[in-house]
Amino acid sequence: ADRKETELTDDQWVETVKKFIKKGIIHCTYVGGEPLLRKSLIEKLTKIIPINWIVTNGTIPIHRLKNTSFIVSLDGTEEVHDSIRGRSGLYSTIREQIRNRNDVITNTTIFRINKGEPKKLLEEWANTGIRGMTFNFATPMRTASKDFYLNDTEKNEVINELLGLKKKYGA
């Protein structure tokens, strides 16, 4: 069946969000695709929502916004990140853009290809002025190869490494 999808206009989004705010909602996380593609909408919403998190791949300039933290996806250090994303120079662009940004946290989803990256990332980003770094494991999906994901033993090894690194680099 043909299904025509339409996106809400900025004004429709603002009116919808205002209804949620009246019901007590105080936080919004923007994900899916690249939220910063709708810059004007994001600027309007972050002015009326008390707490905002924007998850971004870091390819679009990140401007400071009221009540907003940015979560920037990093797949690893430069060679690994750029290889996974299929775009040379992306990592260095991200690094320059978010250096000295206390409103930025990086997030790395760990899978087989980048399981050795957390220590390297922490060493490289330790003194860049960002707020922090988070790490999580890729959620298995039926459509992906089982070789893509870490097994339980490998996950435990990464967790133990991260716990050691936490002692060195802090919370």
Side-chain angles (χ1 to χ4, degrees):
D2 285 334
R3 191 176 119 202
K4 184 178 178 183
E5 292 190 33
T6 59
E7 290 189 29
L8 297 179
T9 66
D10 287 5
D11 290 339
Q12 289 171 320
W13 267 115
V14 168
E15 289 310 308
T16 299
V17 166
K18 284 180 179 178
K19 291 176 187 173
F20 286 117
I21 291 171
K22 285 180 185 175
K23 293 181 180 189
I25 299 298
I26 62 166
H27 172 260
C28 183
T29 301
Y30 307 83
V31 296
E34 175 51 59
L36 295 177
L37 287 173
R38 296 205 48 193
K39 181 182 172 189
S40 65
L41 174 60
I42 295 294
E43 288 174 347
K44 291 174 185 175
L45 293 178
T46 57
K47 288 177 183 174
I48 62 173
I49 300 170
I51 303 168
N52 298 275
W53 294 350
I54 298 175
V55 179
T56 176
N57 63 21
T59 59
I60 295 175
I62 300 171
H63 303 286
R64 294 189 189 272
L65 295 170
K66 182 179 178 179
N67 309 318
T68 303
S69 294
F70 295 90
I71 301 163
V72 178
S73 301
L74 282 182
D75 295 322
T77 52
E78 187 166 14
E79 183 180 341
V80 172
H81 181 83
D82 288 356
S83 171
I84 289 171
R85 298 288 169 148
R87 186 169 156 197
S88 181
L90 180 58
Y91 181 89
S92 60
T93 298
I94 293 168
R95 186 174 167 88
E96 281 307 307
Q97 182 171 203
I98 67 175
R99 178 184 282 288
N100 295 316
R101 292 288 299 265
N102 66 357
D103 58 345
V104 170
I105 298 168
T106 66
N107 180 69
T108 302
T109 300
I110 301 169
F111 43 97
R112 180 134 309 141
I113 296 170
N114 68 352
K115 74 178 183 178
E117 293 295 293
K119 181 179 181 185
K120 296 174 194 174
L121 282 168
L122 285 161
E123 288 170 351
E124 191 168 317
W125 287 82
N127 296 308
T128 59
I130 63 170
R131 184 181 304 157
M133 302 183 86
T134 62
F135 299 90
N136 61 281
F137 294 108
T139 302
M141 297 169 52
R142 284 181 276 194
T143 56
S145 165
K146 296 209 184 300
D147 293 335
F148 181 79
Y149 304 103
L150 300 181
N151 62 39
D152 289 345
T153 300
E154 292 169 313
K155 286 180 183 177
N156 285 330
E157 290 169 0
V158 171
I159 290 168
N160 287 331
E161 179 186 30
L162 287 170
L163 290 171
L165 291 167
K166 182 179 179 181
K167 289 177 185 172
K168 181 176 181 178
Y169 293 101

